[in-house]
Amino acid sequence: MKTIAMTMLVTVSTLAAAATDPVYTSRFSNNALGGYDAVSYHAGSPPQRGDTAFSHDYMGATWLFANAANRMAFAASPAQYAPQYGGYCAWAAAQGYTASGDPMQYSVVDGRLFLNYNASVKRNWEADIPGFIKAADANWPGLLN
């Protein structure tokens, strides 16, 4: 019984943190995008892993980049490269809640990076991307309260 109560406490604490942190990071790391290079998503090729030698702090998270040029581009215009909704799942944001975003389940739409929870959720997202973006944009400001 004590183990179940502790598990529930940890789960509730994790969910509460996820709903208040402006950028999604895992429980065990402060790296945004799971350590992937945010700029690389916009290059039209698969995302690249970032390197701790090229890091930048933004909105309470550490962002890693594959090279100095990408770090400089991000530092000059983070809103252009950072995932929407702080890297939380875009489909979940459209539904009115937060869920983790998987850096390998992504879409770049009109220059904006969106993450989804998993491949199944991404398929749901792809059914009406413009509608879900509109809903998530409307919901997002209130989801971190």
Side-chain angles (χ1 to χ4, degrees):
M1 184 71 157
K2 190 173 185 177
T3 303
I4 292 171
M6 288 301 290
T7 301
M8 288 173 54
L9 178 62
V10 170
T11 302
V12 170
S13 298
T14 301
L15 290 173
T20 59
D21 293 336
V23 174
Y24 174 75
T25 59
S26 76
R27 194 175 352 177
F28 303 108
S29 168
N30 195 42
N31 292 339
L33 278 173
Y36 281 87
D37 179 338
V39 175
S40 71
Y41 286 85
H42 299 271
S45 57
Q48 297 178 319
R49 281 296 223 170
D51 185 318
T52 56
F54 307 108
S55 67
H56 179 77
D57 290 335
Y58 174 67
M59 293 187 72
T62 302
W63 301 74
L64 303 180
F65 302 92
N67 53 57
N70 284 7
R71 178 181 58 194
M72 287 177 28
F74 183 88
S77 186
Q80 177 180 345
Y81 297 106
Q84 301 300 294
Y85 323 122
Y88 291 94
C89 175
W91 186 85
Q95 307 310 308
Y97 63 92
T98 60
S100 60
D102 180 341
M104 297 312 294
Q105 300 301 322
Y106 68 94
S107 304
V108 177
V109 179
D110 296 330
R112 297 170 69 190
L113 174 61
F114 300 92
L115 303 183
N116 289 115
Y117 178 76
N118 61 26
S120 176
V121 169
K122 185 178 179 198
R123 283 190 295 277
N124 292 341
W125 161 258
E126 290 170 339
D128 183 15
I129 292 174
F132 290 133
I133 289 173
K134 184 176 180 179
D137 284 351
N139 290 339
W140 179 245
L143 295 181
L144 295 181
N145 295 334

